[in-house]
Amino acid sequence: MIHANAVVSDRSIIHEDVEIGPFSIIHPNVHLESGVKIGSNCEIGIPSDLTKEDTLVVGEDSNIRSHSVIYSGTKVGKGFQSGHFCLIRENTDIGDHCSIGSSSQLQGNCSIGNFTRFHSNVHIGKGSKIGNFVWIFPDVLITNDPNPPSEECEECIVGDYVVICSKVLILPGIEIGREAFLSANSKITKDVPEGKVASGDPAKIICDASILKMKHDLGKKAYPWRFRYNSVYPPEIVSEWERELKKLQEKDG
């Protein structure tokens, strides 16, 4: 259903079961796949001189909430969820089943893996590469300009299963290894190795994430988090993680 007050280009491809709310604008060369919902006051497929391709694809069963803006040259995977007032700039590739919280910004040329989740007010600098199953909590800032203002760009890389807690600042060119944990209010000025905890301002490596325990159950490991928090993921993925955990337990005797 397309609301009467929506403006939809006749040069876009809209599946018959797509919903588009009032006062939203759908530009040319936008492809909205089956089950997509666009809230009110959104602008989808804004043209840009910076785009590598002048198309925008939004995967099936995605829900883009009101006042969100997505530029052309971007591909959004299936099952995407946005909060309100989100901004996604050109040439960004978002995997399947991702969510981006309200008032978050992706500043173009970014890649986001599958099942990655951002909370509200997250800012991702241009060119950032975020892996699969990453959790990014409110007010995280990933930067890319080593000498602002300048035309230099040093992209950050975040590996799979990383947890970035609230109000973390990551400086340009930093690489965060798989399964690392960045504590709240930390300033990350150096690379963080795989599976390590970084904390402080400036952050220091303080321990392996695997030794952390649950606050109210000290007999239970907190990390890797996927071995104890998995109810929101598909059964086939959970089964894979359970097999992985079993192998680790057998290895440890």
Side-chain angles (χ1 to χ4, degrees), residues 166-170 182-188 198-203:
S166 298
K167 297 185 181 297
V168 167
L169 168 63
I170 301 178
L182 310 185
S183 297
N185 291 299
S186 294
K187 182 167 74 175
I188 311 300
S199 182
D201 181 4

Side-chain angles (χ1 to χ4, degrees), residues 6 11-13 19 36 44 69 76 84 109 113 141 155 162 170 177 189-190 200 202 208 227 233 241 246:
R11 291 193 288 129
S12 58
I13 301 173
E19 297 180 16
V36 169
I44 309 299
V69 174
V76 178
H84 305 279
N109 295 81
L141 174 57
E155 302 91 346
V162 167
I170 301 178
T189 61
K190 296 180 180 179
D208 291 336
F227 296 149
Y233 297 100
W241 291 345
K246 185 177 180 180

Side-chain angles (χ1 to χ4, degrees), residues 122-147:
V122 170
H123 179 97
I124 306 297
K126 185 175 181 179
S128 299
K129 296 176 175 59
I130 313 293
N132 303 295
F133 301 99
V134 174
W135 285 88
I136 301 182
F137 288 89
D139 299 313
V140 167
L141 174 57
I142 298 180
T143 63
N144 63 5
D145 189 343
N147 300 292

Side-chain angles (χ1 to χ4, degrees), residues 107-129:
Q107 289 296 323
N109 295 81
C110 294
S111 64
I112 312 295
N114 299 322
F115 291 96
T116 285
R117 301 188 176 208
F118 300 175
H119 284 240
S120 59
N121 296 295
V122 170
H123 179 97
I124 306 297
K126 185 175 181 179
S128 299
K129 296 176 175 59

Side-chain angles (χ1 to χ4, degrees), residues 225-245:
W225 60 263
R226 66 186 181 280
F227 296 149
R228 49 90 183 166
Y229 181 80
N230 51 36
S231 61
V232 299
Y233 297 100
E236 62 272 18
I237 289 175
V238 175
S239 296
E240 181 181 339
W241 291 345
E242 289 174 345
R243 289 192 294 270
E244 183 182 355
L245 176 59

Side-chain angles (χ1 to χ4, degrees), residues 152-182:
E152 297 182 50
C153 183
E154 295 182 2
E155 302 91 346
C156 293
I157 300 173
V158 177
D160 297 346
Y161 302 106
V162 167
V163 175
I164 305 177
C165 294
S166 298
K167 297 185 181 297
V168 167
L169 168 63
I170 301 178
L171 296 189
I174 297 296
E175 183 168 355
I176 310 298
R178 172 188 170 100
E179 296 180 345
F181 181 93
L182 310 185

Side-chain angles (χ1 to χ4, degrees), residues 1-251:
M1 179 182 70
I2 300 176
H3 195 279
N5 290 325
V7 178
V8 180
S9 170
D10 59 6
R11 291 193 288 129
S12 58
I13 301 173
I14 311 295
H15 196 277
E16 61 184 10
D17 64 351
V18 165
E19 297 180 16
I20 300 175
F23 308 110
S24 285
I25 300 171
I26 310 299
H27 287 271
N29 302 314
V30 170
H31 183 185
L32 303 181
E33 296 184 349
S34 176
V36 169
K37 296 180 180 179
I38 306 293
S40 65
N41 297 281
C42 294
E43 190 166 3
I44 309 299
I46 295 177
S48 168
D49 293 338
L50 300 176
T51 56
K52 297 176 182 177
E53 298 181 7
D54 62 355
T55 57
L56 166 65
V57 178
V58 179
E60 61 185 24
D61 298 322
S62 294
N63 187 0
I64 298 171
R65 292 181 172 84
S66 67
H67 300 88
S68 293
V69 174
I70 306 179
Y71 279 64
S72 66
T74 285
K75 182 178 179 181
V76 178
K78 64 183 179 181
F80 173 76
Q81 298 278 331
S82 86
H84 305 279
F85 296 94
C86 288
L87 170 64
I88 301 173
R89 291 297 303 261
E90 59 279 316
N91 307 322
T92 292
D93 190 353
I94 299 175
D96 295 337
H97 304 291
C98 292
S99 62
I100 296 178
S102 296
S103 300
S104 291
Q105 301 177 355
L106 278 69
Q107 289 296 323
N109 295 81
C110 294
S111 64
I112 312 295
N114 299 322
F115 291 96
T116 285
R117 301 188 176 208
F118 300 175
H119 284 240
S120 59
N121 296 295
V122 170
H123 179 97
I124 306 297
K126 185 175 181 179
S128 299
K129 296 176 175 59
I130 313 293
N132 303 295
F133 301 99
V134 174
W135 285 88
I136 301 182
F137 288 89
D139 299 313
V140 167
L141 174 57
I142 298 180
T143 63
N144 63 5
D145 189 343
N147 300 292
S150 76
E151 296 180 353
E152 297 182 50
C153 183
E154 295 182 2
E155 302 91 346
C156 293
I157 300 173
V158 177
D160 297 346
Y161 302 106
V162 167
V163 175
I164 305 177
C165 294
S166 298
K167 297 185 181 297
V168 167
L169 168 63
I170 301 178
L171 296 189
I174 297 296
E175 183 168 355
I176 310 298
R178 172 188 170 100
E179 296 180 345
F181 181 93
L182 310 185
S183 297
N185 291 299
S186 294
K187 182 167 74 175
I188 311 300
T189 61
K190 296 180 180 179
D191 292 351
V192 179
E194 178 177 334
K196 298 295 184 180
V197 175
S199 182
D201 181 4
K204 296 180 180 179
I205 307 303
I206 59 173
C207 65
D208 291 336
S210 60
I211 72 171
L212 299 181
K213 307 293 184 181
M214 297 296 290
K215 181 177 180 179
H216 298 295
D217 184 358
L218 295 179
K220 187 175 183 179
K221 283 188 173 184
Y223 300 96
W225 60 263
R226 66 186 181 280
F227 296 149
R228 49 90 183 166
Y229 181 80
N230 51 36
S231 61
V232 299
Y233 297 100
E236 62 272 18
I237 289 175
V238 175
S239 296
E240 181 181 339
W241 291 345
E242 289 174 345
R243 289 192 294 270
E244 183 182 355
L245 176 59
K246 185 177 180 180
K247 289 181 180 179
L248 289 173
Q249 291 171 337
E250 291 173 350
K251 182 179 179 181

